[in-house]
Amino acid sequence: MFNFIARDSSQNNVTLEYIRNFEEIRGISFPDVLVDFYMNHNKAVLEDVSFSVHNLEFTVEFIIPLQHGNVCVEKILSFNENNEYISKTLIPLAEDTDGEDFYWDSASGKVYYISMENVENPVPICDSVEQFFEILNKSCEFNNLNIGTIMK
């Protein structure tokens, strides 16, 4: 299901109880695919994942873990709330190689890319977390296909 994962870090997974508590406190409901990811692959190392949308190139370095580590959903949300420049419905989802973030909108379900230099103009990526993960999976398949084609 998550072909874009290179290596898991199972000691940092999150329990369903923790996720449900987080959802209740935040007044949100994570999509099932994200709950599955946090419970089974929180802090996983990703394959090289690159894709383009709207003629813009993106490279995802990691899916932001819900908890654990210096960069996690909890800490980013706390930082964003203190600065009040990103909507409270936007939940950090992934980070690119430049340190910019992809966000899941808990109100609409859509995924956006937001550059801190241009917060006012989020770039729509796709309509759901499921589609975002599909894009990452296809990126890995495409990269592996290209490597295989080149090696023949």
Side-chain angles (χ1 to χ4, degrees), residues 112-128:
Y112 296 91
Y113 175 81
I114 299 178
S115 167
M116 290 300 121
E117 294 177 7
N118 196 5
V119 175
E120 302 81 26
N121 297 305
V123 176
I125 299 298
C126 58
D127 291 332
S128 68

Side-chain angles (χ1 to χ4, degrees), residues 103-147:
Y103 283 84
W104 165 65
D105 189 335
S106 62
S108 70
K110 296 183 180 200
V111 175
Y112 296 91
Y113 175 81
I114 299 178
S115 167
M116 290 300 121
E117 294 177 7
N118 196 5
V119 175
E120 302 81 26
N121 297 305
V123 176
I125 299 298
C126 58
D127 291 332
S128 68
V129 174
E130 291 87 351
Q131 285 182 344
F132 184 72
F133 285 170
E134 287 174 24
I135 289 169
L136 301 185
N137 278 336
K138 288 180 181 173
S139 169
C140 290
E141 291 169 14
F142 181 75
N143 287 340
N144 290 337
L145 177 65
N146 282 348
I147 292 168

Side-chain angles (χ1 to χ4, degrees), residues 12 14 18 22 26 30 38 42-43 62-80 91-95 101 103:
N12 292 306
V14 180
Y18 183 86
F22 185 91
R26 292 282 174 184
F30 287 120
Y38 291 143
N42 198 47
K43 288 198 80 166
F62 61 91
I63 304 298
I64 298 170
L66 182 60
Q67 151 184 66
H68 304 298
N70 293 329
V71 177
C72 67
V73 172
E74 293 176 320
K75 289 180 182 178
I76 294 171
L77 285 175
S78 179
F79 176 80
N80 289 350
I91 309 299
L93 177 61
E95 189 167 298
D101 293 334
Y103 283 84

Side-chain angles (χ1 to χ4, degrees), residues 28-47:
I28 64 171
S29 182
F30 287 120
D32 290 343
V33 70
L34 203 48
V35 171
D36 181 27
F37 187 87
Y38 291 143
M39 288 179 59
N40 299 297
H41 309 287
N42 198 47
K43 288 198 80 166
V45 175
L46 305 187
E47 298 283 351

